[in-house]
Amino acid sequence: RGPALEPELAALLDRVEAGDSDADALARGLRRDGGAVTGGLAQLELLGYLRRSFAGTYTRTPLPRPQ
């Protein structure tokens, strides 16, 4: 299982799981600043929850969330 997530990161991961795959779509969907979203995506990638493609889109890894 992966590490615990702060509420902001959990919300971002929820949106990726729902189908938003790029920073712009996530920022619009969450109504957040693009910089904050990009930083959150980088954190989720470092934690092992996301993988970034060469095209700049994000996909969910199989790492399960903590219970």
Side-chain angles (χ1 to χ4, degrees), residues 7-57:
E8 295 83 15
L9 292 179
L12 190 53
L13 189 57
D14 289 342
R15 294 296 301 197
V16 173
E17 290 173 345
D20 289 340
S21 63
D22 65 76
D24 290 337
L26 290 159
R28 281 190 305 272
L30 292 168
R31 297 181 183 180
R32 291 195 188 150
D33 175 73
V37 168
T38 302
L41 289 168
Q43 284 184 284
L44 289 169
E45 187 178 10
L46 288 171
L47 292 171
Y49 287 108
L50 297 179
R51 183 173 296 122
R52 184 177 185 267
S53 74
F54 289 111
T57 59

